[in-house]
Amino acid sequence: MTTTEPLLGHVTNAADHHDLRGNMFPVSHEIGPVECEVIGELPAALRGSFVRNGPNQMFEPIGAHHIFDGDGMLHGVELAAGKATYRNRWIHSRGLDAEIALGRAVYPGLSELMNFPDEALVGDAGPIKNRANTHIIRHAGKMLALWEQGLPTEVTADLETVGEWDFAGRLQGAMTAHPKLDPRTGEMFFFSYNLFPPFLTYYVVDAGGALVHRVDLDLPAPIMMHDFVITEDHAVFMDSPVTFNMEGVATGESMVKWAPENGTRLGVIPRLGTAEDIRWFEVEPSHIQHFWNAWVEGNRIELSGCRFPEVDFGFKPPNADDDGGIETIGAPPARYWIDLDAGTAGWEPIDRDTIGEMCRVNDDRTGVRTDCLYMSAFTREGAIGGDFDSIVKYDTAKDTRSSWYAGDTGHVGENVFAPDPDGSAEDDGWIINSMHDDADGGQSSIVVLDARDIEAGPVAQVLIPQRMPFGFHANWFPAG
Ligand SMILES: [Fe+2]
């Protein structure tokens, strides 16, 4: 375990990187645990920790810098007895520790995927820095910070880094940042994509944390698959046209390209199936970055998410003048269906008028029917990637949409559902979200909304005693 003096960031953005501007600029200090001021009243039943992961580059980047490139930092707010305590910690990847020893960045960003640092500089930290900057989960007693191109990184409840976790040697490759945990069986399901065959590998971990099943799956091309879904019986993958451009990288083109000529297919495999068991269903070219959920209904599988008809993640060639930024900011919600008897699949919009992302549900319903869908949405003119301004809830059983707007200077992150331990309905609980308000010099906070009444706005707001940069994914970890 690494426990050191608080680390210090050194980024000045002298190169004016697009993805380090505004509230994407990293914070330079680790602080806490420190008690926070609370506006309103925290629900007494809300006992546990809200933890959010995100990029927070420590050293001035070398070459192009994409928001996916930053060193992982965890921001945690522990709620107990109406009080809130905050701390933030960098994730000590081996690559970051090598850079700390050198006092500068030596790992290039993802747009230079095949450009590796000098082994003499980084030693056994390896050719790729495992940024661990995307998500944070807890399974079988381990908290794992996730990054889809590397192993999970174990951290403690106090957000100190333990180190990479390879499931006792059984995982040699990477692990998606979006594994699925079945709340009924305790199992965890995940995949990794690979630049070279096999392009997709699927894994099952039992409730005790042992990796017990592995299947290599064929895809026509290497793709950047970010998320998938499970039902009570299946895992479902989307083979979308977000394709690694390995030939192009050699000639200076962007690392990732949209290749609709590759088509889009939904792949269904029984949870413990083999490569021979997978069935593929063609759908119109499209991409889903984050799914809400999936379940079986009769002979059909239902799934939903924000549907991109086309994607540009803003990966620019290493020599581009403009180092990019995500150009496709969000997408309208849609549901897909797969008819297992007829061998067909299709989709239809849920809402044509709203653009959003970061789809989340009550995770207690993973794999079974869900009607309450939570999304972060863009309603302001000129929004850029990640600059969500609204929290939206759909109730598909009631066919309603409700929302809360964070104000003209407000920005929100991902909605995390914290169930009410005394509740029984799907939306009995609270939405917790990280917020940043640009007004009056800026104030970051954690807002708590009653999931049954989003439009009422926050019932409590925890003021964070330093700026909290925009990040990626978060989770709620109830106290044991
Ligand atoms: Fe994600």
Side-chain angles (χ1 to χ4, degrees), residues 380-421:
R380 282 194 288 257
E381 288 290 315
I384 60 168
D387 186 9
F388 304 105
D389 58 59
S390 297
I391 294 172
V392 173
K393 172 191 177 186
Y394 297 97
D395 187 327
T396 54
K398 297 176 184 163
D399 197 22
T400 58
R401 175 179 75 176
S402 53
S403 67
W404 176 69
Y405 176 57
D408 290 349
T409 54
H411 316 266
V412 293
E414 180 175 53
N415 297 300
V416 173
F417 185 87
D420 182 344

Side-chain angles (χ1 to χ4, degrees), residues 283-353:
V283 290
E284 197 179 340
S286 52
H287 174 72
I288 290 186
Q289 185 74 354
H290 299 107
F291 291 95
W292 271 300
N293 198 9
W295 65 89
V296 173
E297 205 150 294
N299 64 340
R300 288 156 75 104
I301 294 175
E302 301 277 341
L303 57 153
S304 57
C306 290
R307 178 185 182 276
F308 292 87
E310 189 171 348
V311 165
D312 181 350
F313 285 122
F315 289 109
K316 297 292 190 288
N319 55 356
D321 293 336
D322 163 19
D323 72 353
I326 297 172
E327 303 206 355
T328 316
I329 60 167
R335 58 179 282 271
Y336 286 68
W337 52 266
I338 300 166
D339 187 322
L340 295 169
D341 290 346
T344 54
W347 72 280
E348 63 185 25
I350 291 175
D351 179 356
R352 297 175 191 275
D353 304 323

Side-chain angles (χ1 to χ4, degrees), residues 27 29-36 73-78 84-89 159 446 462-469:
V27 286
H29 289 80
E30 295 179 323
I31 67 170
V34 55
E35 191 175 329
C36 305
M73 176 177 276
L74 297 169
H75 300 261
V77 176
E78 191 177 346
T85 308
Y86 168 83
R87 79 182 80 207
N88 68 307
R89 296 291 184 272
L159 312 185
I446 302 298
V462 176
L463 302 184
I464 305 298
Q466 71 173 349
R467 190 174 57 81
M468 192 170 155

Side-chain angles (χ1 to χ4, degrees), residues 134-135 148 177-178 226-227 289-290 357-358 414 472-473:
T134 312
H135 206 346
E148 68 186 30
H178 291 286
H226 188 67
D227 195 6
Q289 185 74 354
H290 299 107
E357 240 294 317
M358 301 301 226
E414 180 175 53
F472 296 134
H473 297 290

